[in-house]
């Protein structure tokens, strides 16, 4: 693997094995959350107060949309790249 700076960012040269791994990771990331019962997606929901359901619910209320939007943006960037 090699990295090279370009005018538009960074170029990465991968050998065929590395490309297969990245494609596999892309497919896995693209599939996370497709099913609402997906345990991988459920692990993304941080429980800030595991011993206090009310505080946890409030944390999710205050941060949930922002975290979901950030995750969606990160996922899209990964898939575009």
């Amino acid at each position: 693997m090699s990295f090279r700076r370009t005018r538009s960012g960074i170029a990465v040269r991968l050998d065929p094995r590395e490309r297969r791994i990245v494609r596999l990771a892309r497919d896995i990331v693209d599939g996370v959350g497709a099913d609402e019962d997906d345990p991988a997606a459920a692990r993304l929901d941080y429980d800030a107060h595991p011993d206090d359901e009310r505080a946890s619910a409030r944390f999710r209320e205050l941060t949930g949309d922002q975290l979901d939007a950030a995750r969606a943006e990160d996922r899209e960037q990964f898939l575009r790249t």
Side-chain angles (χ1 to χ4, degrees):
M1 177 180 347
S2 66
F3 295 88
R4 176 175 54 86
R5 186 182 307 263
T6 68
R7 289 180 188 215
S8 61
I10 304 292
V12 180
R13 183 176 299 237
L14 304 172
D15 67 39
R17 184 173 149 255
E18 291 166 327
R19 282 195 294 276
R20 284 192 302 274
I21 292 168
V22 170
R23 284 189 194 107
L24 176 61
R26 180 194 60 205
D27 294 343
I28 291 170
V29 166
D30 194 31
V32 170
D35 176 4
E36 66 182 47
D37 294 327
D38 183 355
R43 286 190 296 271
L44 295 174
D45 290 330
Y46 177 71
D47 192 356
H49 305 280
D51 297 329
D52 185 343
E53 181 55 40
R54 186 170 167 214
S56 284
R58 183 69 174 144
F59 176 80
R60 285 190 298 275
E61 178 185 325
L62 294 172
T63 63
D65 291 342
Q66 186 177 14
L67 291 173
D68 289 343
R71 287 183 191 124
E73 187 178 321
D74 289 347
R75 169 183 278 153
E76 288 302 316
Q77 179 64 38
F78 177 77
L79 296 174
R80 276 194 309 272
T81 303

